[in-house]
């Protein structure tokens, strides 16, 4: 009986395989850490062979636990924007993968901006000219890695994002990429079916090395490496998968993931998003060629601020302790933290900004600082909320997930400051669940994603706003003032 879905979650720091049953219960999990390579300041690389070997090992472990004849299909979700170059003949990587965090193409992005290309790139792709995205990383490999250039000249070069690489290996040579991952390369126009010749020329990436853009769900290809022939039936970048796992299927529905950083996506339906507030437009999913789009805003520092309090300042022993500390005082005593420790992301986009703490007094202690750190999450999210509303995407409620969302005090503070209902699923593996839901629909286990959500998404806990307007106004006044000091 095929009553399980295998999800391969290829993250930045680890690779996991999870088997879900059709009620969304986790039947088996395997996980392996991924080596991070930092060859120079600002550079971050992964070994693509290690990504593949860990993925295969985790998949085999989970399939052995569940039974390969019980796997209806495979869903893959991945760290987005990371670029892999491999040889079409040997199927081997040609260089280290360049990871999304890598800033080595900042100068090339600045040249493109100075040459006046940003408006057109943003209008067509929904993305800003920033080293974060894949296209300039591909170009860097062609310019700087002899093996990559030689393979391109010999017509043997394959370039792709991580899901594309894994599909190639699993299928034995299918070169496809799903539209959600493709929309992070700067080489896909949001309304174009395949990679765009003009954008490829602008960035200097040969279109012939790129994959065919396919749906995020459906019978996309097969693998025979895990026992029998198993369809690969769902593909999505991690943030898009989490949005699906949170059941954000109607325009306006929004999720925020609070991990190291925070990523917010709002479903925009079939309208191609055009932000006037420095948010990103992206493909959320694609079914039979029909796209659903999202607006996206990222905050660089979320849980990493709590990590910093713990590891660099030694102020707390565990991240979870901040909850009790925040509750132990009536307020932050006037302390406000702007957590711009690595610049400010959306909607400010100020890479040079650095953190600020205002309102310190002799009455300030650990509790006030911990509370101010958690309050900063609501403040940053409020700025995003305002930008989304100004772009015509007001939020009706906010669905949260990610490691930091376990903090009840923060969840309530979000509801209070945003004056919105906040919802948190009991099962917080929303990224893997979303990829599982796509594959469950792709293999015909459910007729629609709504049906899959009804069966696979579990209970949620709600947090209702309960803050006086005057308290909220005072908080936001202090935040806006502190922001001007960065
Ligand atoms: P990522 O996927 O980015 O690695 P996770 O979703 O695992 O991150 O979340 C981990 C982050 O959340 C860490 O930075 C940690 O400091 C923070 N975090 C985890 N639990 C809590 C908590 N109870 N309260 C506050 N922060 C937390």
């Amino acid at each position: 009986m095929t009553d399980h879905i295998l999800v391969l979650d290829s993250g930045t720091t680890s690779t996991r395989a999870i088997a879900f049953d059709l009620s969304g219960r986790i039947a088996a999990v395997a996980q392996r850490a991924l080596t991070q390579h930092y060859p120079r300041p600002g550079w971050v690389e992964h070994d693509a062979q290690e990504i593949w070997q860990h993925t295969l090992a985790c998949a085999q472990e989970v399939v052995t636990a569940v039974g390969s004849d019980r796997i209806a299909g495979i869903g893959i979700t991945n760290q987005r924007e990371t670029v892999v170059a491999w040889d079409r003949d040997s199927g081997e990587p040609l260089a280290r993968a360049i990871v999304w965090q890598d800033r080595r193409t900042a100068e090339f992005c600045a040249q493109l901006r100075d040459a006046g290309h940003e408006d057109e790139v943003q209008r067509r792709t929904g993305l800003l000219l920033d080293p974060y995205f894949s296209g300039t990383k591909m170009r860097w490999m062609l310019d700087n890695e002899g093996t990559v250039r030689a393979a391109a000249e010999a017509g043997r070069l394959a370039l792709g994002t991580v899901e594309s690489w894994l599909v190639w290996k699993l299928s034995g040579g299918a070169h496809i990429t799903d539209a959600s991952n493709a929309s992070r390369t700067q080489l896909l126009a949001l309304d174009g079916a395949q990679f765009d010749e003009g954008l490829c020329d602008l960035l200097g990436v040969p279109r012939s090395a790129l994959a065919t853009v396919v749906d995020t769900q459906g019978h996309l290809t097969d693998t025979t490496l895990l026992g029998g022939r198993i369809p690969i039936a769902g593909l999505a970048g991690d943030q898009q998968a989490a949005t699906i796992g949170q059941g954000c299927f109607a325009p306006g529905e929004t999720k925020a993931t609070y991990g190291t950083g925070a990523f917010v996506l709002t479903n925009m339906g079939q309208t191609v998003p055009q932000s006037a507030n420095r948010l990103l437009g992206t493909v959320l999913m694609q079914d039979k060629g029909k796209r659903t789009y999202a607006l996206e805003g990222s905050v660089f520092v979320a849980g990493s601020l709590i990590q910093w309090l713990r590891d660099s300042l030694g102020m707390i022993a565990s991240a979870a302790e901040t909850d009790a500390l925040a509750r132990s005082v009536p307020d932050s005593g006037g302390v406000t933290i702007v957590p711009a420790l690595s610049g400010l992301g959306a909607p400010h986009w100020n890479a040079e900004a650095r953190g600020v703490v205002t309102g310190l007094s002799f009455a300030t202690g650990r509790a006030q600082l911990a509370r101010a750190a958690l309050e900063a999450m609501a403040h940053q999210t409020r700025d995003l909320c305002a930008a989304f509303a100004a772009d015509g995407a007001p939020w009706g409620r906010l669905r949260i997930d990610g490691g930091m969302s376990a903090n009840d005090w923060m969840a309530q503070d979000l509801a209070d400051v945003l004056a919105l209902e906040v919802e948190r699923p009991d099962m917080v593996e929303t990224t893997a669940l979303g990829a599982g839901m796509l594959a469950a629909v792709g293999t015909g286990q459910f007729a629609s994603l709504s049906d899959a959500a009804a069966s696979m998404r579990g209970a949620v806990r709600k947090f209702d706003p309960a803050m006086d307007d005057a308290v909220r106004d005072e908080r936001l006044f202090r935040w806006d003032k502190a922001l001007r000091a960065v």
Side-chain angles (χ1 to χ4, degrees):
M1 196 167 60
T2 51
D3 55 359
H4 285 75
I5 298 292
L6 172 64
V7 172
L8 307 178
D9 180 355
S10 187
T12 308
T13 55
S14 77
T15 289
R16 296 188 308 157
I18 301 180
F20 287 98
D21 71 13
L22 297 179
S23 67
R25 197 184 61 87
I26 292 177
V29 186
Q31 180 161 2
R32 299 208 175 187
L34 202 62
T35 315
Q36 311 291 313
H37 299 273
Y38 304 106
R40 292 190 202 182
W43 291 29
V44 190
E45 299 178 348
H46 285 162
D47 175 355
Q49 196 63 32
E50 187 189 19
I51 294 178
W52 161 238
Q53 279 161 356
H54 283 2
T55 301
L56 182 63
C58 289
Q60 282 166 335
E61 202 176 313
V62 164
V63 168
T64 305
V66 175
S68 74
D69 52 338
R70 301 190 71 173
I71 306 290
I74 297 173
I76 302 177
T77 182
N78 57 294
Q79 48 163 318
R80 306 178 300 175
E81 296 102 10
T82 297
V83 173
V84 183
W86 66 97
D87 185 307
R88 288 176 190 274
D89 288 351
S90 68
E92 297 303 312
L94 292 161
R96 287 257 181 83
I98 304 184
V99 178
W100 59 273
Q101 296 144 316
D102 192 294
R103 308 297 297 173
R104 77 183 66 179
T105 63
E107 202 180 315
F108 181 39
C109 289
Q111 281 167 19
L112 290 167
R113 260 197 312 274
D114 292 347
H117 293 297
E118 183 150 70
D119 284 352
E120 194 208 345
V121 169
Q122 192 190 5
R123 186 178 53 75
R124 301 205 61 207
T125 68
L127 309 176
L128 301 167
L129 279 171
D130 188 274
Y132 178 23
F133 305 107
S134 316
T136 57
K137 294 176 155 81
M138 293 177 177
R139 165 67 182 270
W140 190 94
M141 282 185 174
L142 284 153
D143 285 349
N144 295 281
E145 300 280 6
T147 48
V148 174
R149 197 170 43 251
E153 280 160 11
R156 289 187 282 104
L157 176 65
L159 287 169
T161 38
V162 170
E163 92 298 349
S164 186
W165 162 240
L166 293 176
V167 168
W168 175 287
K169 296 300 271 185
L170 282 164
S171 65
H175 197 194
I176 58 176
T177 182
D178 75 275
S180 78
N181 272 294
S183 75
R184 312 298 295 182
T185 58
Q186 278 179 331
L187 303 172
L188 183 79
L190 283 171
D191 57 357
Q194 295 297 327
F195 286 114
D196 187 89
E197 203 70 69
L199 290 165
C200 287
D201 287 349
L202 177 67
L203 268 60
V205 175
R207 194 163 175 265
S208 58
L210 299 173
T212 303
V213 180
V214 299
D215 288 350
T216 46
Q217 65 208 71
H219 189 157
L220 305 171
T221 182
D222 298 289
T223 182
T224 54
L225 295 185
L226 299 168
R229 179 171 288 276
I230 305 178
I232 296 173
L235 298 176
D238 51 12
Q239 297 308 322
Q240 286 93 335
T243 309
I244 293 161
Q246 286 273 27
C248 298
F249 303 136
E253 290 188 327
T254 303
K255 75 90 201 179
T257 300
Y258 296 89
T260 307
F263 291 89
V264 182
L265 270 78
T266 297
N267 183 315
M268 297 298 284
Q270 267 75 55
T271 314
V272 175
Q274 291 293 343
S275 176
N277 294 279
R278 301 191 65 77
L279 300 173
L280 306 177
T282 204
V283 174
L284 175 57
M285 52 192 160
Q286 178 178 309
D287 185 19
K288 299 183 188 71
K290 190 169 136 193
R291 284 188 185 152
T292 304
Y293 298 95
L295 258 188
E296 176 173 326
S298 329
V299 165
F300 298 148
V301 176
S304 52
L305 180 66
I306 307 300
Q307 246 167 305
W308 177 75
L309 293 180
R310 189 191 60 197
D311 303 340
S312 298
L313 300 192
M315 206 186 87
I316 47 173
S318 75
E321 208 184 304
T322 53
D323 188 309
L325 276 173
R327 281 177 208 283
S328 71
V329 286
D331 54 45
S332 72
V335 177
T336 304
I337 300 180
V338 182
L341 282 76
S342 55
L344 281 174
H348 310 290
W349 292 105
N350 181 353
E352 272 71 50
R354 287 299 173 262
V356 166
V357 183
T358 61
L360 292 174
S361 74
F362 285 116
T364 306
R366 272 172 2 110
Q368 285 81 8
L369 283 168
R371 185 162 171 140
L374 292 179
E375 286 183 353
M377 303 306 133
H379 299 154
Q380 297 189 102
T381 310
R382 192 288 307 239
D383 286 353
L384 282 178
C385 184
F388 275 73
D391 270 345
W395 305 344
R397 70 180 148 182
L398 185 65
R399 296 172 174 179
I400 63 169
D401 54 44
M404 199 183 187
S405 74
N407 190 304
D408 289 347
W409 190 88
M410 185 197 81
Q412 181 59 47
D413 194 52
L414 279 170
D416 287 343
V417 170
L418 298 172
L420 285 177
E421 180 182 287
V422 166
E423 232 182 66
R424 182 182 69 197
D426 293 346
M427 209 289 287
V428 291
E429 296 285 358
T430 50
T431 303
L433 180 67
M437 285 163 52
L438 286 169
V441 174
T443 52
Q445 309 289 322
F446 297 105
S448 68
L449 281 170
S450 302
D451 288 355
S455 177
M456 296 177 80
R457 289 190 76 226
V460 296
R461 173 161 171 200
K462 293 192 167 139
F463 298 85
D464 290 316
M467 185 179 263
D468 284 346
D469 289 349
V471 175
R472 183 185 307 115
D473 289 348
E474 191 273 334
R475 286 260 309 264
L476 294 175
F477 175 78
R478 268 198 287 123
W479 167 253
D480 287 334
K481 199 166 141 206
L483 259 185
R484 287 195 291 275
V486 300

